[in-house]
Amino acid sequence: MPFATMKIDRSLLLASERTARMQSVLMHIINLGHALGMTVICEGIETHEQEDLLRRCGCNQGQGYRYGNPMKEEDFERFLPEHI
C-alpha cells in the first residue's frame, strides 16, 4: 500500500518532552518519514513548547488544541477563512 502521510501519536510527543533520548527518537522517526517521501504530522499539540520541539525536529504538520478545539462543521467553515 502506498502511504503518503505518517502520523505520530501524542504519546511520543509527550515522552519527547521529558528526555533528550526520546527527542532523538522523535527526530529519527520524522526523518524516516521524510526519507520515505511522506508528509509527517503529529497529533496532540497543546503548547507552544511542543510546537517548537516538533519544528526543530522537522515535523511538517501538527494538530491539537493549540490550533483549535473540536467544532461543528458550520463553526469550522467560519473559523477556517480567519485562520489560514
Side-chain angles (χ1 to χ4, degrees):
M1 298 175 90
F3 294 102
T5 304
M6 174 188 287
K7 188 171 188 178
I8 297 175
D9 188 75
R10 178 177 188 265
S11 61
L12 181 56
L13 174 60
L14 294 176
S16 297
E17 289 183 291
R18 293 189 286 271
T19 68
R21 182 178 180 146
M22 288 308 297
Q23 284 181 18
S24 180
V25 170
L26 175 66
M27 184 175 60
H28 282 86
I29 289 172
I30 291 169
N31 288 337
L32 174 63
H34 292 160
L36 295 172
M38 295 181 183
T39 298
V40 180
I41 184 169
C42 186
E43 66 179 16
I45 303 169
E46 295 181 352
T47 67
H48 178 72
E49 291 77 19
Q50 290 171 334
E51 180 183 50
D52 283 346
L53 171 61
L54 289 165
R55 286 181 189 271
R56 285 193 311 271
C57 289
C59 190
N60 300 100
Q61 299 177 3
Q63 67 183 62
Y65 290 132
R66 169 134 177 82
Y67 308 113
N69 294 326
M71 61 186 79
K72 295 179 181 178
E73 183 178 354
E74 56 270 12
D75 295 335
F76 179 72
E77 289 172 356
R78 287 190 300 276
F79 172 89
L80 187 60
E82 297 172 8
H83 293 89
I84 290 182

